[in-house]
């Protein structure tokens, strides 16, 4: 995908193809990756009709990172490891940017004694097992529609460029989010602490407020401060207004007072947060 994007995108450049790229990238990251995969399938931070969940998960699969079950396993392995006092460099993003890029984008970590996983309802869902087995092939129907709409130009920009940017961008923001940036919370006993990446808030649909997410992993709302954009949560609230989402979990719902410490910088009046330790 990356080679095709680098060599073919300039040849098949058109403004309509660029517009398709931005539209599909934004829509798939918002609906699929942020809301479908992360906040619904992995953390189950809200409830919705099964048909809607499956639609969002299919969109998440079309982002091009992996199938739904592998996404759960990768996410939960990393979360489990980062909560330990000692975390492997691969899972902590502790190495240099170049080495971490090679590891995360081109390698796989095989553990001799991996933790056991229970995929729950997702593991029993035949549709999700189908997506897991065919996740790469899910680009084919998207490519067919793009070809009918705008020919090769739309396919190159709507598939190759989109997938390359989404996958590489996911690693890049994740790398930064575990190395440097603002922090409002510290997770007690965790070997890896998260940071926020403010400039990436809109491109990631709110996922870049990663320090907040480490503190309240089950919350559907990740952008906690008034100045923290969170389009993923805004979309969930829209679904709620339409009667398509309910039982939305917010930071103050789970009891996290014993697990996290709020930093003094988060208590400044100009950054007044709806979540404080007293509020918890």
């Amino acid at each position: 995908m990356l080679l095709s994007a680098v060599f073919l995108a300039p040849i098949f450049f058109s403004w309509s193809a660029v517009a398709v790229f931005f539209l599909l990238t934004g829509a798939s990251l918002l609906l699929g990756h942020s809301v479908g995969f992360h906040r619904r399938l992995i953390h189950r931070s809200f409830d919705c009709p099964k048909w809607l969940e499956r639609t969002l998960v299919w969109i998440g699969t079309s982002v091009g990172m992996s199938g739904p079950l592998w996404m759960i396993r990768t996410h939960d392995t990393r979360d489990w490891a980062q909560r330990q006092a000692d975390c492997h460099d691969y899972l902590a993003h502790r190495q240099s940017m170049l080495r971490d890029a090679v590891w995360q984008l081109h390698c796989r970590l095989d553990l001799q004694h991996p933790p056991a996983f229970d995929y729950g309802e997702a593991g029993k869902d035949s549709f999700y097992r189908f997506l897991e087995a065919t996740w790469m092939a899910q680009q084919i129907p998207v490519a067919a529609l793009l070809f009918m709409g705008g020919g090769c130009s739309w396919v190159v920009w709507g598939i190759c460029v989109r997938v390359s940017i989404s996958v590489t961008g996911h690693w890049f923001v994740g790398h930064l989010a575990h190395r440097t940036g603002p922090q409002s919370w510290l997770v007690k006993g965790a070997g890896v602490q998260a940071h926020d990446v403010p400039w990436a808030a809109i491109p990631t649909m709110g996922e870049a407020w990663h320090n907040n997410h480490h503190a309240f992993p089950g919350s559907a709302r990740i952008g906690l401060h008034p100045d923290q954009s969170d389009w993923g949560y805004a979309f969930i609230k829209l679904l709620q207004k339409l009667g398509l989402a309910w039982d939305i979990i917010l930071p103050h719902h789970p009891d996290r007072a014993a697990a996290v410490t709020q930093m003094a910088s988060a208590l400044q009046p100009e950054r007044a947060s709806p979540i404080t330790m007293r509020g918890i």
Side-chain angles (χ1 to χ4, degrees), residues 23-240:
L23 178 63
L24 289 185
T25 302
S28 61
L29 290 177
L30 172 61
L31 305 180
H33 181 72
S34 179
V35 177
F37 266 3
H38 195 205
R39 308 193 203 203
R40 172 56 190 167
L41 189 65
I42 293 174
H43 289 290
R44 309 198 80 79
S45 59
F46 68 97
D47 284 329
C48 66
K50 192 65 176 181
W51 66 264
L52 177 58
E53 177 187 298
R54 287 176 172 172
T55 300
L56 295 173
V57 169
W58 178 82
I59 296 173
T61 303
S62 72
V63 171
M65 296 183 191
S66 74
L69 301 185
W70 183 259
M71 184 65 76
I72 295 174
R73 185 180 184 89
T74 300
H75 179 281
D76 287 0
T77 299
R78 195 175 305 277
D79 270 16
W80 165 80
Q82 290 177 354
R83 287 193 299 268
Q84 310 308 309
D86 185 23
C87 180
H88 191 283
D89 284 358
Y90 176 96
L91 296 163
H93 296 277
R94 196 175 288 123
Q95 289 293 324
S96 67
M97 184 176 293
L98 179 59
R99 175 172 290 187
D100 195 56
V102 173
W103 279 2
Q104 302 293 332
L105 297 174
H106 303 287
C107 299
R108 183 181 68 198
L109 179 67
D110 287 324
L111 301 177
Q112 292 179 344
H113 305 287
F117 284 92
D118 181 2
Y119 294 110
E121 294 181 9
K124 303 173 184 177
D125 193 302
S126 58
F127 180 65
Y128 295 157
R129 293 199 302 269
F130 167 73
L131 291 182
E132 186 68 22
T134 63
W135 67 273
M136 289 187 182
Q138 297 307 313
Q139 302 300 330
I140 296 175
V142 182
L145 292 174
L146 290 173
F147 184 77
M148 288 187 291
C152 292
S153 177
W154 282 23
V155 173
V156 170
W157 282 84
I159 300 293
C160 303
V161 179
R162 174 181 58 83
V163 171
S164 301
I165 292 295
S166 297
V167 175
T168 307
H170 181 264
W171 157 76
F172 183 58
V173 174
H175 177 80
L176 296 179
H178 294 97
R179 295 180 65 89
T180 184
Q183 289 180 307
S184 300
W185 312 90
L186 292 178
V187 179
K188 299 176 183 178
V192 179
Q193 299 292 337
H195 302 261
D196 293 330
V197 188
W199 63 264
I202 292 179
T204 62
M205 307 302 165
E207 300 289 332
W209 306 114
H210 204 58
N211 179 252
N212 294 339
H213 179 60
H214 270 224
F216 306 99
S219 173
R221 183 178 182 180
I222 301 177
L224 303 183
H225 297 290
D227 60 344
Q228 292 181 336
S229 172
D230 188 351
W231 288 20
Y233 178 65
F235 180 72
I236 294 173
K237 291 292 290 181
L238 175 61
L239 292 178
Q240 184 184 43

